Amino acid sequence: MGYSSFVAIALLMSVVVVCNGGKTSTYVRNLIEKPVDMPLDSDAFAIPPGYNAPQQVHITQGDLVGQAMIISWVTVDEPGSNQVIYWSDSSLQNFTAEGEVFTYTYYNYTSGFIHHTTITNLEFDTTYYYEVGIGNTTRQFWFITPPEVGLDVPYTFGIIGDLGQTFDSNTTLTHYQNSNGTALLYVGDLSYADDYPYHDNVRWDTWGRFTERSAAYQPWIWTAGNHEIDFDLQIGETQPFKPFSTRYHTPYEASQSTEPFYYSIKRGPAHVIVLATYSAFGYSTLQYKWLTAELPKVNRSETSWLIVLMHAPWYNSSNNHYMEGEPMRVIYESLFLKYKVDVVFAGHVHAYERSERVSNNKYNITNGICTPVEDITAPIYITNGDGGNLEGLATMKQPQPSYSAYRKASFGHGIFAIKNRTHAHYSWNRNQDGYAVEADKLWLFNRYWNPLNDSTIHIP
Ligand SMILES: *[C@@H]1O[C@H](CO)[C@@H](O)[C@H](O)[C@H]1NC(C)=O
Ligand SMILES: *[C@@H]1O[C@H](CO)[C@@H](O)[C@H](O)[C@H]1NC(C)=O
Ligand SMILES: *[C@@H]1O[C@H](CO)[C@@H](O)[C@H](O)[C@H]1NC(C)=O
Ligand SMILES: *[C@@H]1O[C@H](CO)[C@@H](O)[C@H](O)[C@H]1NC(C)=O
Ligand SMILES: *[C@@H]1O[C@H](CO)[C@@H](O)[C@H](O)[C@H]1NC(C)=O
Ligand SMILES: *[C@@H]1O[C@H](CO)[C@@H](O)[C@H](O)[C@H]1NC(C)=O
Ligand SMILES: *[C@@H]1O[C@H](CO)[C@@H](O)[C@H](O)[C@H]1NC(C)=O
Ligand SMILES: *[C@@H]1O[C@H](CO)[C@@H](O)[C@H](O)[C@H]1NC(C)=O
Ligand SMILES: *[C@@H]1O[C@H](CO)[C@@H](O)[C@H](O)[C@H]1NC(C)=O
Ligand SMILES: CC(=O)N[C@H]1CO[C@H](CO)[C@@H](O)[C@@H]1O
Ligand SMILES: [Fe+2]
């Protein structure tokens, strides 16, 4: 399927001429010890008490505009109820919704009962409370719906990628919880269970319990990474994305997608497009057809900001995974320019990096014109693969290429705070700094409403 055609394209691309652009810089890598996973009995993985108590509770947007939420949780003693009871401060009555329960096996692992229930017809900008585990041990959580889709509504997204479940991951999540992020753009690679023998899926459960303290209270918008593939011929596991897609649902049908790994949502002032690095993306594929149908639907008079999420970055200057993002860039970059994408968030490379506004659109595989050039019509590319997983930090290519505005191999998270149709503030918080400290920051000017050169605003 998609994955094998990706591999084929990647192999083809690996014979392509590699050029280096850019000026010299005195970049020194920040050396940190290799992170270790928190032990199974760690407090971050605590199992909630009580018979059949819901665990691993997480929510994600359930429709196109933010008036529905997919509520997901796992029970382990028996299937229990799929019901969610929910209410708002102003509602005089409780509502109920009924969902579905799923299980899967992976080698010799059998999952708990994975529930997904979509609650709909929510009011905008409202606090909702919800209860799961009906009939056995119940647990209550809450979330706030976004404002109605609109040009100038302020809204703050967080960005985390490649989180894993180390002590550093725990620090990243704590820092994020102390930010003003109200919905999280998750750029792929979740649990890293596949780094364990037989992809020990117990580590999918621990990741679900670890992230609940944020993901039960605000939607995490999912992007699939390579650690979600869980394809392993040697143990007979040949259904790609089985654990991920059973545990983490996305509202892909609301944007007429036919696959859960690429889709779009509107939230407040933003139209967010999620792309799938590990699904087929060539010209004749369903993903390409979906994207080329989706982009003309983006109405910048309704959602002023256009954000794209993907796992493997196009612009980065790491030694790790070099060229992996290239095949998709060759096919899709001109569309991003045409439709004035403001910013692209990716993960995969375990570091933080932010590009200048650049494009590399003249490159056509054979002409050798492969140095990215300044292009103020282009998006800014930000890599937030710095969540803190057990694989450790990436190393950077020297010298720093000119398209790279800022890079650092340190753990942390990003905050993208949209203020109005013309201005958004992006900042990067490192785990070794205080909660509100911004190691990198800049004002982004909207490419549709304010297409000025925002490079001058860069504060190193
Ligand atoms: C709604 O459900 C919650 C939790 O079960 C309960 O505490 C509350 O009394 C219910 N409210 C109404 C109006 O039934
Ligand atoms: C699965 O198999 C591995 C290797 O044989 C073993 O170490 C592990 O304990 C088994 N797990 C379960 C849940 O049976
Ligand atoms: C647990 O909940 C299920 C579904 O609501 C119910 O059928 C079952 O009787 C409950 N079990 C206990 C021990 O309360
Ligand atoms: C993880 O972080 C939370 C919140 O800061 C803290 O309470 C907990 O002790 C940490 N757990 C570990 C294993 O570091
Ligand atoms: C775009 O959105 C605006 C504001 O909601 C609306 O007036 C306009 O009709 C929309 N344009 C299209 C082509 O749908
Ligand atoms: C690539 O660009 C070169 C020079 O601009 C041109 O001669 C060649 O036909 C192009 N190749 C493709 C595949 O478009
Ligand atoms: C948009 O937000 C920026 C940054 O907060 C501010 O400087 C600017 O005045 C705002 N524009 C309008 C029209 O309010
Ligand atoms: C959250 O926003 C408030 C108000 O703008 C600001 O004072 C505070 O510093 C922000 N917190 C962080 C962690 O950035
Ligand atoms: C944009 O601003 C930067 C920083 O001042 C400057 O180096 C660059 O030449 C400007 N680009 C354009 C196209 O004006
Ligand atoms: C991992 C990855 O996507 N690497 C990319 C880093 O940036 C260069 C320059 O655009 C790309 O060629 C690589 O594909
Ligand atoms: Fe990755």
PDB file of all heavy atoms in Angstrom, residues 152 419-424 443, ligand 7:
ATOM      1  N   ASP A 152     -10.776  37.060  12.488  1.00  0.00           N
ATOM      2  CA  ASP A 152      -9.929  37.775  13.447  1.00  0.00           C
ATOM      3  C   ASP A 152     -10.036  37.227  14.865  1.00  0.00           C
ATOM      4  O   ASP A 152      -9.672  37.905  15.813  1.00  0.00           O
ATOM      5  CB  ASP A 152     -10.295  39.269  13.442  1.00  0.00           C
ATOM      6  CG  ASP A 152      -9.809  39.957  12.172  1.00  0.00           C
ATOM      7  OD1 ASP A 152      -8.612  39.876  11.871  1.00  0.00           O
ATOM      8  OD2 ASP A 152     -10.660  40.536  11.468  1.00  0.00           O
ATOM      9  N   LYS A 419      -3.299  36.161  16.456  1.00  0.00           N
ATOM     10  CA  LYS A 419      -3.886  37.348  17.096  1.00  0.00           C
ATOM     11  C   LYS A 419      -5.048  37.906  16.289  1.00  0.00           C
ATOM     12  O   LYS A 419      -6.045  38.356  16.850  1.00  0.00           O
ATOM     13  CB  LYS A 419      -2.828  38.436  17.256  1.00  0.00           C
ATOM     14  CG  LYS A 419      -1.577  37.997  17.999  1.00  0.00           C
ATOM     15  CD  LYS A 419      -1.854  37.658  19.456  1.00  0.00           C
ATOM     16  CE  LYS A 419      -0.577  37.261  20.185  1.00  0.00           C
ATOM     17  NZ  LYS A 419      -0.847  36.761  21.551  1.00  0.00           N
ATOM     18  N   ASN A 420      -4.888  37.935  14.989  1.00  0.00           N
ATOM     19  CA  ASN A 420      -5.907  38.464  14.081  1.00  0.00           C
ATOM     20  C   ASN A 420      -5.538  38.023  12.663  1.00  0.00           C
ATOM     21  O   ASN A 420      -4.645  37.187  12.503  1.00  0.00           O
ATOM     22  CB  ASN A 420      -6.032  39.989  14.203  1.00  0.00           C
ATOM     23  CG  ASN A 420      -4.667  40.677  14.060  1.00  0.00           C
ATOM     24  OD1 ASN A 420      -3.849  40.252  13.245  1.00  0.00           O
ATOM     25  ND2 ASN A 420      -4.448  41.720  14.845  1.00  0.00           N
ATOM     26  N   ARG A 421      -6.169  38.567  11.642  1.00  0.00           N
ATOM     27  CA  ARG A 421      -5.938  38.071  10.280  1.00  0.00           C
ATOM     28  C   ARG A 421      -4.534  38.381   9.760  1.00  0.00           C
ATOM     29  O   ARG A 421      -4.089  37.765   8.814  1.00  0.00           O
ATOM     30  CB  ARG A 421      -6.992  38.621   9.313  1.00  0.00           C
ATOM     31  CG  ARG A 421      -6.775  40.044   8.899  1.00  0.00           C
ATOM     32  CD  ARG A 421      -7.907  40.559   8.049  1.00  0.00           C
ATOM     33  NE  ARG A 421      -9.119  40.739   8.842  1.00  0.00           N
ATOM     34  CZ  ARG A 421     -10.245  41.239   8.353  1.00  0.00           C
ATOM     35  NH1 ARG A 421     -10.335  41.562   7.078  1.00  0.00           N
ATOM     36  NH2 ARG A 421     -11.294  41.402   9.133  1.00  0.00           N
ATOM     37  N   THR A 422      -3.865  39.355  10.385  1.00  0.00           N
ATOM     38  CA  THR A 422      -2.550  39.736   9.850  1.00  0.00           C
ATOM     39  C   THR A 422      -1.366  39.205  10.650  1.00  0.00           C
ATOM     40  O   THR A 422      -0.297  39.011  10.096  1.00  0.00           O
ATOM     41  CB  THR A 422      -2.418  41.275   9.769  1.00  0.00           C
ATOM     42  OG1 THR A 422      -2.707  41.819  11.071  1.00  0.00           O
ATOM     43  CG2 THR A 422      -3.371  41.856   8.738  1.00  0.00           C
ATOM     44  N   HIS A 423      -1.564  38.978  11.966  1.00  0.00           N
ATOM     45  CA  HIS A 423      -0.432  38.677  12.840  1.00  0.00           C
ATOM     46  C   HIS A 423      -0.620  37.388  13.653  1.00  0.00           C
ATOM     47  O   HIS A 423      -1.682  37.176  14.245  1.00  0.00           O
ATOM     48  CB  HIS A 423      -0.217  39.813  13.853  1.00  0.00           C
ATOM     49  CG  HIS A 423       0.380  41.052  13.279  1.00  0.00           C
ATOM     50  ND1 HIS A 423      -0.286  41.847  12.389  1.00  0.00           N
ATOM     51  CD2 HIS A 423       1.607  41.631  13.478  1.00  0.00           C
ATOM     52  CE1 HIS A 423       0.488  42.882  12.065  1.00  0.00           C
ATOM     53  NE2 HIS A 423       1.642  42.764  12.697  1.00  0.00           N
ATOM     54  N   ALA A 424       0.460  36.610  13.726  1.00  0.00           N
ATOM     55  CA  ALA A 424       0.516  35.475  14.659  1.00  0.00           C
ATOM     56  C   ALA A 424       1.896  35.479  15.297  1.00  0.00           C
ATOM     57  O   ALA A 424       2.882  35.844  14.661  1.00  0.00           O
ATOM     58  CB  ALA A 424       0.269  34.166  13.930  1.00  0.00           C
ATOM     59  N   TRP A 443       7.218  37.236  14.983  1.00  0.00           N
ATOM     60  CA  TRP A 443       5.882  37.554  14.489  1.00  0.00           C
ATOM     61  C   TRP A 443       5.784  37.031  13.069  1.00  0.00           C
ATOM     62  O   TRP A 443       6.619  37.361  12.237  1.00  0.00           O
ATOM     63  CB  TRP A 443       5.658  39.073  14.494  1.00  0.00           C
ATOM     64  CG  TRP A 443       5.362  39.596  15.867  1.00  0.00           C
ATOM     65  CD1 TRP A 443       6.215  40.259  16.691  1.00  0.00           C
ATOM     66  CD2 TRP A 443       4.122  39.480  16.560  1.00  0.00           C
ATOM     67  NE1 TRP A 443       5.579  40.563  17.867  1.00  0.00           N
ATOM     68  CE2 TRP A 443       4.294  40.106  17.817  1.00  0.00           C
ATOM     69  CE3 TRP A 443       2.867  38.906  16.259  1.00  0.00           C
ATOM     70  CZ2 TRP A 443       3.273  40.174  18.770  1.00  0.00           C
ATOM     71  CZ3 TRP A 443       1.858  38.980  17.204  1.00  0.00           C
ATOM     72  CH2 TRP A 443       2.060  39.607  18.431  1.00  0.00           C
TER      73      TRP A 443
HETATM   74  C1  LIG B   7      -3.272  42.516  14.786  1.00  0.00           C
HETATM   75  O1  LIG B   7      -2.428  42.029  15.831  1.00  0.00           O
HETATM   76  C2  LIG B   7      -1.189  42.725  15.908  1.00  0.00           C
HETATM   77  C3  LIG B   7      -0.372  42.014  16.981  1.00  0.00           C
HETATM   78  O2  LIG B   7      -1.059  41.935  18.181  1.00  0.00           O
HETATM   79  C4  LIG B   7      -1.428  44.186  16.221  1.00  0.00           C
HETATM   80  O3  LIG B   7      -0.193  44.881  16.262  1.00  0.00           O
HETATM   81  C5  LIG B   7      -2.307  44.789  15.139  1.00  0.00           C
HETATM   82  O4  LIG B   7      -2.616  46.110  15.467  1.00  0.00           O
HETATM   83  C6  LIG B   7      -3.585  43.968  15.020  1.00  0.00           C
HETATM   84  N1  LIG B   7      -4.369  44.454  13.910  1.00  0.00           N
HETATM   85  C7  LIG B   7      -5.574  44.984  14.076  1.00  0.00           C
HETATM   86  C8  LIG B   7      -6.259  45.463  12.849  1.00  0.00           C
HETATM   87  O5  LIG B   7      -6.082  45.020  15.172  1.00  0.00           O
END
